[in-house]
Amino acid sequence: MAIQKPTIPKGTRDFSPHEMIRRNYIFRTIEEVFKKSGYQPLETPAMENLSILLGKYGEEGDRLLFRIINSGDFLSGIDPDELTKMSARDLSKRISGKGLRYDLTVPFARFVVQHRNEITLPFKRYQIQPVWRADRPQKGRYREFYQCDVDVIGSTSLLNEAELVQIMDEVFNKLNVPVEIRLNNRKVLAGISEMMGVPEKMKDITIAMDKLEKVGPERVTEEIREKGIPPEAVAKLKPILTFVGTNGEKISFLNDMLASSAIGMEGMKDLKKLLNYLEKSDLSVNYTLDLTLARGLDYYTGTIFEVVATEWQIGSICGGGRYDDLAGIFGMPGVSGVGVSFGADRIYDVMLNTGKFPEAIESSAPVLFLNFGEEEAGYILPLLKQIRQLGIAAELYPDPVKIKKQMNYANQNQVPVVVFIGKDELNEKMAGIKIMATGEQEKVSFDQLMEKLVALTG
Amino acid sequence: MAIQKPTIPKGTRDFSPHEMIRRNYIFRTIEEVFKKSGYQPLETPAMENLSILLGKYGEEGDRLLFRIINSGDFLSGIDPDELTKMSARDLSKRISGKGLRYDLTVPFARFVVQHRNEITLPFKRYQIQPVWRADRPQKGRYREFYQCDVDVIGSTSLLNEAELVQIMDEVFNKLNVPVEIRLNNRKVLAGISEMMGVPEKMKDITIAMDKLEKVGPERVTEEIREKGIPPEAVAKLKPILTFVGTNGEKISFLNDMLASSAIGMEGMKDLKKLLNYLEKSDLSVNYTLDLTLARGLDYYTGTIFEVVATEWQIGSICGGGRYDDLAGIFGMPGVSGVGVSFGADRIYDVMLNTGKFPEAIESSAPVLFLNFGEEEAGYILPLLKQIRQLGIAAELYPDPVKIKKQMNYANQNQVPVVVFIGKDELNEKMAGIKIMATGEQEKVSFDQLMEKLVALTG
């Protein structure tokens, strides 16, 4: 067979043991917090029928779906004449009925509708799985990446929003990543465009406002003017873009500004209620009302959230919001839900760049028994079982090769402790122990070995 | 938008919280055992380049790959005239460069070669990820399923095989699933065909022998005769098919039978050495030398393993073997490895059908605080944080609806304990507690609440 140079598809990644240990630390921490708040695990298939996926993420999203060719003779039934006239787009419709999931929200909505008779509302689930997007790969943007979603549907209570903020607080506390949580409400954004006298322009306004942090208020108002919004309307927006104050000050400021907008006042009521819950929630995180926070996704209808790391600039590392009618597209209208998604890849980058991974997870390598030959190995085999039963990871180097090579293996794998039981040690019923970090060496009796290893690896 | 009836692609599955909790119990148990033996986690992308996948699983395997349509205008560069003449097979080559992984072994081999300069041999890794096969779906066979692979490469020592048997022993012990481990060696199978005088027919012979348990010795010899193997050769095989005895008796029996075959004797030496290691390994599982065990995959060259559950018939629930040249196809010859794969879906079925899932994992639902309204909720919010910090999962019902509805939610979700703090309780500084399993109710002071919940959920 010809020799192939092995590569992986662009935009995808292998995760080496070193990376996996860190990634799992993030996933497990997040998962533990989800579970403690009563969210239950869910998994859906990597593939969904295209009828489920198409039209849910805009035109751009449809283009970025990875499509799977139908099994078998996928061309049967297509007329050859017709075939030559087909565009790639038309053809893909005929030869592909499935795509890889693009996010975890649409599959969740599909699950809820499909299993509506088996679940009890409110339904709280978390889902930690990869998603795929045929985006142009670039630094920090991948074609396969994990999402960690937590959602509750079937309840309109703002206690759900409060619970999600508690979850964000606890996750980033546990990960030791300082963050700021930003809050806003889509109804407030609707109120702002109503107050400006251009309710139909809400989308243009929010898209422009979303860029405030990046481009500044001048550029934002410019962009809004370019959308054909009259200057007197833009003038009304300006104070909002530049307002500085505490959460309480922002609330009273907006209360006055939006007094004439019913939907705006509804949003204010929600925000006040949520802030009241949060005050009582004994949080350690900073949360701020961000009047310009918009979040891109169309389906949000109420509270919106975004989390940014304060020690490392990388954009939002967690975000989400309330959606009032996600399951409606699958025939189950009026089921309100709220959820957030943690961006594991960005959290990883923040932790790596600010040195937040605890040392303990880095040194999870097993205790290594050196291999001096058949007889010694035979003695060590039952020992290994006992050690592992104590919860200590342990291994015997498989080949009786030169000790230098075995020690090299120990170094490369960051083994914490090396144990040597050679002929002499077998006779003396003693085991040699070397602590790799310090180079310290000692001999202990077989009886003491277990105790010693527990002490050294605990 | 038209209402869509939501479905998932055939052969794929959603995993509900109930199923996920059980599945995760299996995955975590397996993973813990892998880790304790010094195996490290690895993950590879769901998609691999087709050049990596094609030709590795036989013609059948190529046909069963899920192929992904290239992004963008995938028809550009294909001449329309040519297009009409193309078979589905030809066209798929032109419009698809990627496929979903079919197993975890080939991606592992690809990883090892691609990262050869970053890893230290022997390299011990485990990998728990889904794989995809466009098989005809049927009971117990899915198009998406998880594999749990554990492999060590870069060492020919039979201590590796012994370690894998220890792992199988511990996994099934921990899962409380009684099993029998069956062992054989491909070299012994090669020796048998040499002894029969038809070394070139080894493949036909092993394929037939593999069916012994299903069809009996008569049908096996018949099938071998049909392959054109002379009767005197078949006669030599017969005693092997029907031999009954202990592992030791099988060894001496084969030692005599295969004395004239160099490769056969090599296999015997390996088997004896492995059995010797296993005797010393303090195992609790039954392991038997199965002279007719063949395992389908072509790439095995030494020891082969298979595990069957003794209390539920479902075929093998774990299996694997030694392969001498898997990385050779990617340009890195001579790296021997050995590994096994745990079939999580079948293990799940065995455990479900024999009632092996521990009750503790089934009742992992959170403590539920009933919602009596704003004021009470405000009091409960900080309590929830404290309770969760004790490691107890807890939630507040989000809406102040009728208590009957809230209790129904508690029942549906198998909530272990319900706590009610209404107006009266707030005044008395007492919390009501109901243990759902027994219906028992009591009141405790706020000071005692934490302690009580720890006692009830520990």
Side-chain angles (χ1 to χ4, degrees):
Chain A
M1 202 174 302
I3 282 171
Q4 307 169 355
K5 185 182 172 291
T7 57
I8 50 175
K10 63 178 179 180
T12 69
R13 293 164 289 172
D14 287 319
F15 296 110
S16 69
H18 198 59
E19 292 162 312
M20 279 300 296
I21 288 166
R22 290 169 166 174
R23 284 172 66 84
N24 282 341
Y25 173 70
I26 295 174
F27 290 132
R28 299 286 156 90
T29 303
I30 291 175
E31 190 180 13
E32 274 315 304
V33 175
F34 290 170
K35 279 202 261 185
K36 274 204 292 182
S37 295
Y39 290 80
Q40 301 186 76
L42 177 74
E43 280 188 13
T44 60
M47 306 175 202
E48 293 274 351
N49 290 320
L50 280 174
S51 57
I52 297 293
L53 299 174
L54 287 170
K56 307 305 184 299
Y57 310 104
E59 231 173 86
E60 170 83 349
D62 285 355
R63 215 173 41 74
L64 298 185
L65 291 175
F66 279 110
R67 292 159 197 242
I68 292 160
I69 303 181
N70 296 337
S71 303
D73 183 8
F74 56 83
L75 283 177
S76 83
I78 302 180
D79 180 71
D81 287 340
E82 205 188 337
L83 186 60
T84 57
K85 289 179 213 121
M86 278 187 190
S87 66
R89 206 181 140 147
D90 292 336
L91 181 60
S92 79
K93 272 183 208 153
R94 295 289 292 272
I95 65 173
S96 165
K98 293 182 289 289
L100 294 180
R101 71 175 159 249
Y102 184 86
D103 73 357
L104 302 177
T105 308
V106 167
F108 174 51
R110 192 263 311 143
F111 175 89
V112 167
V113 179
Q114 191 175 337
H115 301 266
R116 60 203 295 173
N117 297 325
E118 298 142 48
I119 61 176
T120 311
L121 296 180
F123 182 56
K124 298 166 79 174
R125 84 87 174 79
Y126 70 84
Q127 192 168 352
I128 301 178
Q129 289 191 282
V131 301
W132 294 270
R133 296 180 186 179
D135 244 325
R136 207 164 53 82
Q138 50 181 275
K139 197 175 154 16
R141 187 188 290 169
Y142 303 101
R143 293 185 145 191
E144 173 181 67
F145 58 97
Y146 268 77
Q147 291 193 332
C148 310
D149 277 25
V150 58
D151 289 80
V152 48
I153 60 148
S155 164
T156 55
S157 167
L158 286 151
L159 282 168
N160 298 300
E161 271 90 336
E163 185 168 70
L164 291 174
V165 175
Q166 285 182 326
I167 285 174
M168 297 183 243
D169 181 38
E170 201 183 336
V171 163
F172 291 111
N173 245 317
K174 289 209 161 168
L175 293 177
N176 195 20
V177 172
V179 298
E180 183 187 284
I181 300 178
R182 295 173 183 171
L183 306 168
N184 201 5
N185 193 301
R186 275 287 171 101
K187 294 179 202 158
V188 170
L189 293 171
I192 289 173
S193 36
E194 257 189 33
M195 172 275 292
M196 290 165 68
V198 285
E200 73 286 0
K201 295 285 190 183
M202 176 185 166
K203 204 169 167 181
D204 289 334
I205 295 168
T206 52
I207 287 172
M209 278 170 73
D210 219 13
K211 301 176 189 156
L212 181 65
E213 202 173 5
K214 254 192 211 155
V215 301
E218 288 312 316
R219 186 69 203 89
V220 170
T221 48
E222 208 180 298
E223 181 173 327
I224 291 173
R225 263 195 305 269
E226 283 162 10
K227 294 285 177 191
I229 294 169
E232 59 277 18
V234 179
K236 286 187 185 163
L237 177 66
K238 247 189 158 167
I240 294 175
L241 296 182
T242 52
F243 188 84
V244 178
T246 63
N247 290 339
E249 287 162 353
K250 284 175 190 165
I251 290 279
S252 19
F253 166 75
L254 269 187
N255 245 340
D256 296 341
M257 294 271 298
L258 303 183
S260 65
S261 160
I263 190 159
M265 291 316 283
E266 229 181 89
M268 292 309 298
K269 206 177 124 201
D270 281 1
L271 274 179
K272 277 186 267 185
K273 202 164 184 179
L274 176 56
L275 288 173
N276 177 39
Y277 286 144
L278 295 185
E279 263 163 46
K280 291 181 175 154
S281 293
D282 189 19
L283 301 171
S284 44
V285 72
N286 257 327
Y287 52 92
T288 59
L289 189 50
D290 180 348
L291 308 179
T292 66
L293 176 66
R295 302 276 313 157
L297 283 169
D298 275 352
Y299 53 68
Y300 293 130
T301 50
T303 311
I304 42 182
F305 308 98
E306 192 164 276
V307 182
V308 291
T310 53
E311 294 181 353
W312 190 260
Q313 268 204 325
I314 196 169
S316 88
I317 56 176
C318 175
R322 179 171 288 277
Y323 40 87
D324 274 343
D325 199 30
L326 196 69
I329 44 172
F330 298 124
M332 190 176 167
V335 183
S336 185
V338 57
V340 295
S341 182
F342 288 78
D345 288 298
R346 284 186 175 178
I347 295 172
Y348 182 96
D349 285 347
V350 171
M351 292 182 67
L352 196 66
N353 284 302
T354 57
K356 299 293 185 184
F357 286 107
E359 253 189 60
I361 67 155
E362 313 269 354
S363 58
S364 60
V367 169
L368 178 69
F369 282 74
L370 299 186
N371 190 328
F372 291 93
E374 285 299 301
E375 196 195 335
E376 295 87 340
Y379 182 81
I380 291 163
L381 282 173
L383 265 187
L384 282 175
K385 178 165 179 175
Q386 291 173 44
I387 293 167
R388 290 168 184 161
Q389 274 173 341
L390 293 171
I392 301 170
E395 62 180 344
L396 167 62
Y397 194 91
D399 303 275
V401 294
K402 285 203 183 106
I403 295 307
K404 198 180 158 190
K405 192 172 177 198
Q406 300 188 41
M407 289 304 286
N408 181 47
Y409 173 90
N411 279 318
Q412 292 291 329
N413 287 329
Q414 294 177 277
V415 160
V417 179
V418 167
V419 182
F420 36 102
I421 302 179
K423 283 264 176 313
D424 291 352
E425 286 80 9
L426 262 191
N427 288 336
E428 300 164 24
K429 295 198 186 308
M430 300 285 278
I433 286 180
K434 180 169 183 173
I435 300 160
M436 296 298 283
T438 61
E440 232 176 293
Q441 254 178 272
E442 59 176 305
K443 283 203 175 184
V444 299
S445 72
F446 283 170
D447 295 341
Q448 297 171 305
L449 181 59
M450 297 292 147
E451 211 177 309
K452 188 75 194 172
L453 290 179
V454 170
L456 286 174
T457 58
Chain B
M1 201 175 303
I3 283 170
Q4 306 168 352
K5 185 183 172 292
T7 56
I8 49 174
K10 63 178 177 178
T12 69
R13 292 164 291 172
D14 287 320
F15 295 109
S16 70
H18 199 59
E19 292 162 312
M20 279 300 296
I21 288 166
R22 291 170 167 176
R23 284 173 66 84
N24 282 342
Y25 173 70
I26 295 174
F27 290 134
R28 299 287 156 89
T29 303
I30 291 175
E31 190 180 11
E32 274 317 304
V33 175
F34 289 170
K35 280 202 260 185
K36 276 206 290 181
S37 296
Y39 290 80
Q40 301 186 77
L42 176 75
E43 280 187 13
T44 61
M47 305 175 205
E48 293 275 349
N49 290 320
L50 280 176
S51 57
I52 297 292
L53 299 175
L54 287 170
K56 307 304 184 301
Y57 310 103
E59 231 173 87
E60 170 83 350
D62 285 356
R63 217 173 39 75
L64 298 184
L65 291 174
F66 279 110
R67 292 158 195 243
I68 292 159
I69 303 181
N70 296 337
S71 303
D73 182 8
F74 57 83
L75 283 177
S76 83
I78 301 182
D79 181 71
D81 286 340
E82 205 188 338
L83 186 59
T84 56
K85 289 179 214 122
M86 277 187 190
S87 66
R89 204 182 142 143
D90 292 337
L91 180 60
S92 79
K93 274 185 206 152
R94 296 290 291 272
I95 65 174
S96 166
K98 291 183 290 288
L100 296 180
R101 71 174 159 250
Y102 184 87
D103 73 359
L104 302 177
T105 309
V106 166
F108 174 52
R110 192 264 310 143
F111 175 88
V112 167
V113 178
Q114 193 175 336
H115 301 267
R116 60 203 294 172
N117 297 324
E118 297 142 47
I119 61 176
T120 311
L121 295 181
F123 182 56
K124 298 165 80 173
R125 84 87 175 79
Y126 69 84
Q127 192 168 353
I128 301 178
Q129 289 191 282
V131 301
W132 295 270
R133 297 180 185 179
D135 245 324
R136 206 163 55 82
Q138 50 182 275
K139 198 177 156 11
R141 187 190 289 170
Y142 303 101
R143 292 185 148 193
E144 173 180 68
F145 58 96
Y146 268 77
Q147 292 192 332
C148 311
D149 276 24
V150 58
D151 289 81
V152 46
I153 59 148
S155 164
T156 55
S157 167
L158 287 152
L159 283 168
N160 297 300
E161 272 89 337
E163 186 168 69
L164 291 174
V165 175
Q166 286 182 326
I167 284 175
M168 298 183 243
D169 181 37
E170 201 182 336
V171 163
F172 292 110
N173 244 318
K174 288 208 162 167
L175 293 177
N176 195 20
V177 173
V179 297
E180 182 187 283
I181 301 179
R182 296 172 183 173
L183 307 168
N184 200 5
N185 193 302
R186 276 288 171 100
K187 293 180 203 159
V188 170
L189 293 171
I192 290 173
S193 36
E194 257 188 33
M195 174 273 293
M196 291 166 66
V198 286
E200 75 286 358
K201 295 285 189 183
M202 175 185 168
K203 206 171 166 178
D204 289 333
I205 294 169
T206 53
I207 288 173
M209 277 169 72
D210 220 12
K211 300 175 191 157
L212 181 65
E213 203 172 4
K214 252 191 214 155
V215 300
E218 288 311 315
R219 186 72 201 87
V220 170
T221 48
E222 206 180 299
E223 181 173 328
I224 291 174
R225 261 195 306 268
E226 282 162 11
K227 294 286 176 190
I229 293 169
E232 60 277 16
V234 179
K236 285 186 185 165
L237 177 65
K238 248 187 157 170
I240 295 176
L241 296 182
T242 53
F243 188 84
V244 178
T246 63
N247 290 338
E249 286 162 354
K250 284 175 189 164
I251 290 277
S252 17
F253 166 74
L254 269 187
N255 245 340
D256 295 342
M257 296 272 299
L258 302 183
S260 65
S261 160
I263 190 160
M265 291 315 284
E266 228 182 87
M268 291 309 298
K269 205 175 124 200
D270 281 3
L271 274 180
K272 278 185 266 184
K273 203 164 183 178
L274 176 55
L275 288 173
N276 177 38
Y277 286 143
L278 296 185
E279 263 164 47
K280 290 180 176 155
S281 292
D282 190 18
L283 302 171
S284 44
V285 72
N286 256 328
Y287 52 93
T288 57
L289 189 51
D290 180 348
L291 307 180
T292 65
L293 176 66
R295 302 277 312 158
L297 283 169
D298 275 351
Y299 53 70
Y300 293 129
T301 50
T303 311
I304 41 183
F305 308 99
E306 193 164 274
V307 182
V308 291
T310 52
E311 294 181 353
W312 190 260
Q313 267 204 324
I314 197 169
S316 89
I317 56 177
C318 174
R322 178 171 287 279
Y323 39 87
D324 274 341
D325 198 30
L326 196 68
I329 45 174
F330 299 125
M332 190 176 168
V335 183
S336 185
V338 57
V340 296
S341 183
F342 288 78
D345 288 297
R346 286 188 175 177
I347 294 171
Y348 182 95
D349 285 348
V350 171
M351 292 181 68
L352 198 64
N353 284 302
T354 56
K356 299 293 186 181
F357 286 108
E359 254 190 59
I361 67 157
E362 312 270 355
S363 58
S364 60
V367 169
L368 178 71
F369 281 75
L370 299 185
N371 190 327
F372 291 92
E374 285 299 302
E375 196 195 337
E376 295 88 341
Y379 181 81
I380 290 163
L381 281 173
L383 265 189
L384 281 175
K385 178 167 178 173
Q386 291 173 45
I387 293 168
R388 291 169 183 160
Q389 275 173 343
L390 293 172
I392 300 171
E395 62 179 345
L396 167 62
Y397 194 91
D399 304 275
V401 294
K402 286 204 180 102
I403 295 306
K404 198 181 158 191
K405 192 174 176 194
Q406 299 188 41
M407 290 304 285
N408 181 46
Y409 173 89
N411 280 318
Q412 292 292 328
N413 287 328
Q414 295 178 276
V415 160
V417 178
V418 167
V419 182
F420 38 101
I421 301 180
K423 283 264 176 312
D424 291 351
E425 286 81 8
L426 262 190
N427 288 335
E428 300 164 22
K429 294 200 189 306
M430 299 285 276
I433 286 180
K434 180 171 183 174
I435 300 161
M436 297 297 281
T438 61
E440 231 175 294
Q441 252 177 273
E442 61 175 304
K443 282 202 175 185
V444 298
S445 72
F446 283 171
D447 296 340
Q448 297 170 304
L449 180 60
M450 297 293 149
E451 211 176 311
K452 188 76 193 170
L453 290 179
V454 170
L456 286 173
T457 58

